[in-house]
Amino acid sequence: MQKARAGGRRAVSTIVVRPAPGKSTRALVQIGPLALPAAIGRSGRSVLKREGDGATPIAAMKLLYGFTRGDHVRFLRTSLPMRSIRKSMLWCDQPEDANYNRLVKAPFKPSHEEMLRRDGLYDICLVLDWNIRSRRRHRGSAIFFHLIRPGYEPTAGCVAVNLRDMRRILPLLRKGTTIRVI
């Protein structure tokens, strides 16, 4: 674990996401000695991630930056670059579009996700470097580390934790922290 200051705590270089016993859509987020419950994709994990398959990629992904919904969540402590979510922010998930797996601005006709969600999942949303720096069509888009649905319901391929745990994790994160899904 690499030591650095981030919001008064030591930053970590790697977070491990390992399967939880008993259910393929549940995981444990391991940060040093701390293990936190999480949800992963509705199809579990996969080394062959494809667009729309509902699987969380088995991979090492760097944290790039994050989004926050300032009208819902305030006073976040992190050295990770964070942007406020606006209504016009969308994420393209149309593999044939030149903007595939990129943040785009409304109005935008191709298939996309709204970043300003009513369900609160993206009130804190961290962007993982899955298929972003070297994009390939149909390899999956919008792989985020975000907030959980009630009951730890599965995600569409992301890693999700509850708000309390996300607040505990954020001070330990920085740009380049690796999220390793095993």
Side-chain angles (χ1 to χ4, degrees), residues 41-46 48-57 138-140 143 156-157:
R42 68 181 177 273
S43 301
R45 302 165 301 124
S46 176
L48 300 172
K49 174 70 183 152
R50 301 292 295 162
E51 184 65 42
D53 66 2
T56 300
H138 301 282
R139 286 290 311 268
I143 302 299

Side-chain angles (χ1 to χ4, degrees), residues 80-92:
L80 190 64
M82 300 293 284
R83 296 173 64 180
S84 292
I85 296 175
R86 292 185 171 77
K87 188 173 184 167
S88 63
M89 291 179 163
L90 311 170
W91 197 274
C92 177

Side-chain angles (χ1 to χ4, degrees), residues 19 32 64 84 101 115 136 142 174:
L64 299 176
S84 292
N101 203 23
M115 297 301 292
R136 294 198 313 209
R174 59 175 166 53

Side-chain angles (χ1 to χ4, degrees), residues 101-102 129-137 139:
N101 203 23
R102 295 274 191 258
D129 188 14
W130 174 259
N131 201 29
I132 290 181
R133 289 196 178 140
S134 62
R135 286 181 304 158
R136 294 198 313 209
R137 308 267 183 236
R139 286 290 311 268

Side-chain angles (χ1 to χ4, degrees), residues 1 29 38 50 73 101 109 123 151 161 175:
M1 219 183 295
V29 172
R50 301 292 295 162
V73 180
N101 203 23
K109 289 189 180 188
D123 284 1
V161 297
K175 184 175 180 175

Side-chain angles (χ1 to χ4, degrees), residues 26-27 120 163 166:
R26 299 291 289 275
L163 177 60
M166 182 65 86

